[in-house]
Amino acid sequence: MDNRTFADRSDLERSKPTGHRGLVLGMLCFVYVLNFLDRQLVSILAKPIQDGLHITDSELGRITGFYFALFYCFIAIPVGWFADRTNRVKVLSIACGLWSAATAACGMAANYGQLVAARMAVGVGEAGGVPPSYAIISDTFPREQRGTAMGIFNLGPPIGSALGVAFGASLAAAYDWRAPFLIVGAIGVVTAVLVYIIVPEPARGRFDPLPAAAAEPAHSFGQAIRAFFGNRILTIAALASGAANFITYGLSNFATLFLMREKGMTLEEVAIWYALAVGLGMGAGIFVSGRLIDRFGVTNKAAYASIPAWSLVLALPFFLGFAAADSWQVALPLLFVPLFLNSFFLPATVTFVQSEVDPGARVISGALLLLVMNLIGLGLGPTFVGMASDFFRPQYGEHALRMAFYALAPMYLIAALLFAWLARMIKRSSPASSGSRQASD
């Protein structure tokens, strides 16, 4: 029996070579890149898909938002609970293979109904992607390095979006919109096998106090859900992230269509310039956010909420300028700032939640966070923008999407106020909860 103290074991883990950590993080990040690339392909190729299958903006909003999120969000909960009790790497590998096969099926859809069914299957698979990765990272990196590690992992969305734009738009321009789905799906199936071979399953709670207590999951399925939503701070964190994600998905799922339809960009220009804006803007924002969290979160836990609050306030005027610009050459530089700032909330909230819950409940806690975050953001954001665009079309014609983005703008202030409220709650709870894992109100 190992009688060493937690501090001794934790120091021993920290002293181990870090090369394998980098390999694990790189592999998980690549899976997340594919996850987001698959998810965004329909939005990126919205114009040719609309032309080929004859679908409206509202139908596009539902297929990229509500229909996908319905399966993605709710199936993530039982998958997360199951992964907390089994091998998280195996769950991730199976999920990657499933969503990749479903992505290939999207490229074979002959009508809107078949595309909806394939997108729902993508959502089912992707439900097992991100939450297990959060937990694997939390048990691979010590607490003082998790913000940066989560920031690097969360480069998956900007890299996936940028590659999706460049890769998807180029292939669609050269062949048709179906080719990117088939090729990316095949790459994902191969990656699923590599995850199973390369990524080791880390011990739960290896860098946390009371590791023995974390050796087995502490909660039943129902208890884990009640523990998360019974904690007011975690619930507000999820709601604030949902409001921020409402903006992120409402904007990103229609940005390509907006730039092509109202700003005059071609697929070839989208493949170069919009891809660069997404990759550099979102990527830099997520990485900088992770570094800021590691810098300020150690001494001031409220920074996990105050940093996202300020970033959203600063992004709003640039978002309005993007929507109002008359040409894509003006709109794209203005869009770069919201792309940079909109993503600050993601590493902050994920790191905060993963640090606040028991090691044996990290996957399901991540899944519950994503449930709220994506049901509000992914499920309602694109649906709202698509419906708003169709609503404004009779009066504003080709500028209907611009008006829909104006209608989206107030959500910046709502999300910022929720994060400011969260920061205040964290400050109030800190003295009473010092030394305890899970703050409660």
Side-chain angles (χ1 to χ4, degrees):
M1 181 176 180
D2 189 353
N3 292 320
R4 288 174 296 178
T5 65
F6 163 73
D8 292 334
R9 285 191 294 268
S10 185
D11 289 341
L12 180 61
E13 294 286 356
R14 284 173 170 81
S15 68
K16 289 182 178 181
T18 58
H20 80 284
R21 292 179 190 164
L23 178 62
V24 169
L25 184 59
M27 195 71 205
L28 295 178
C29 185
F30 182 69
V31 172
Y32 201 7
V33 166
L34 291 177
N35 179 299
F36 216 81
L37 197 163
D38 292 355
R39 189 184 311 177
Q40 292 293 100
L41 272 180
V42 172
S43 304
I44 293 164
L45 302 174
K47 186 68 167 59
I49 291 174
Q50 278 191 324
D51 294 341
L53 299 183
H54 309 292
I55 62 178
T56 66
D57 285 358
S58 293
E59 289 174 330
L60 180 66
R62 289 196 297 272
I63 199 172
T64 59
F66 180 74
Y67 293 148
F68 179 88
L70 186 66
F71 282 79
Y72 176 73
C73 294
F74 286 103
I75 291 178
I77 301 174
V79 169
W81 179 82
F82 177 75
D84 273 328
R85 282 164 159 68
T86 57
N87 188 297
R88 295 164 291 186
V89 172
K90 290 181 180 178
V91 171
L92 177 62
S93 175
I94 293 170
C96 182
L98 176 58
W99 85 60
S100 298
T103 296
C106 290
M108 303 175 192
N111 53 56
Y112 181 67
Q114 291 178 10
L115 187 59
V116 168
R119 289 295 292 172
M120 287 181 172
V122 173
V124 171
E126 290 193 6
V130 179
S133 297
Y134 286 159
I136 293 168
I137 291 170
S138 295
D139 286 332
T140 300
F141 289 85
R143 292 172 68 89
E144 66 272 12
Q145 297 176 14
R146 283 180 196 158
T148 298
M150 287 293 184
I152 293 172
F153 172 71
N154 281 300
L155 290 175
I159 295 173
S161 296
L163 286 177
V165 172
F167 185 71
S170 298
L171 279 175
Y175 300 100
D176 59 29
W177 64 266
R178 300 178 185 277
F181 289 97
L182 298 173
I183 295 173
V184 172
I187 293 172
V189 172
V190 174
T191 301
V193 177
L194 293 177
V195 168
Y196 181 80
I197 296 172
I198 293 174
V199 178
E201 172 73 7
R204 288 175 169 84
R206 63 193 296 195
F207 293 115
D208 298 277
L210 305 176
E216 293 187 7
H219 302 299
S220 69
F221 182 71
Q223 288 173 331
I225 295 175
R226 288 192 295 271
F228 186 92
F229 290 112
N231 185 318
R232 194 178 176 193
I233 288 180
L234 296 182
T235 302
I236 298 302
L239 289 173
S241 297
N245 227 21
F246 190 101
I247 302 164
T248 298
Y249 280 109
L251 170 60
S252 65
N253 283 23
F254 281 91
T256 303
L257 184 62
F258 181 64
L259 289 168
M260 292 181 68
R261 181 192 291 170
E262 298 198 23
K263 307 302 182 185
M265 289 190 84
T266 65
L267 267 177
E268 290 81 2
E269 289 167 340
V270 166
I272 298 173
W273 301 112
Y274 181 60
L276 285 173
V278 169
L280 295 177
M282 291 179 63
I286 287 176
F287 182 76
V288 169
S289 175
R291 298 294 291 178
L292 289 174
I293 290 162
D294 279 347
R295 171 67 178 83
F296 297 104
V298 174
T299 56
N300 177 21
K301 192 186 286 187
Y304 287 106
S306 59
I307 289 174
W310 280 111
S311 72
L312 291 165
V313 171
L314 292 173
L316 176 56
F318 293 93
F319 171 75
L320 292 172
F322 156 72
D326 290 330
S327 67
W328 72 263
Q329 291 88 346
V330 176
L332 205 56
L334 290 169
L335 177 62
F336 184 87
V337 179
L339 289 174
F340 175 77
L341 293 171
N342 285 1
S343 301
F344 271 41
F345 80 94
L346 188 56
T349 309
V350 169
T351 306
F352 175 71
V353 170
Q354 291 289 299
S355 298
E356 290 294 292
V357 301
D358 295 327
R362 278 189 173 137
V363 182
I364 191 170
S365 296
L368 291 168
L369 172 64
L370 291 175
L371 167 68
V372 179
M373 192 166 73
N374 286 325
L375 193 59
I376 295 173
L378 179 58
L380 301 182
T383 304
F384 170 81
V385 173
M387 292 178 66
S389 178
D390 282 348
F391 174 81
F392 288 121
R393 184 172 300 281
Q395 184 174 357
Y396 293 96
E398 65 178 11
H399 297 301
L401 258 180
R402 174 185 293 182
M403 299 307 299
F405 281 152
Y406 286 153
L408 178 65
M411 189 58 70
Y412 273 96
L413 298 179
I414 294 172
L417 288 173
L418 284 170
F419 274 113
W421 183 22
L422 176 62
R424 185 178 180 185
M425 292 176 65
I426 293 172
K427 285 181 181 178
R428 286 182 171 180
S429 70
S430 291
S433 64
S434 107
S436 111
R437 173 173 305 281
Q438 195 167 347
S440 57
D441 190 88

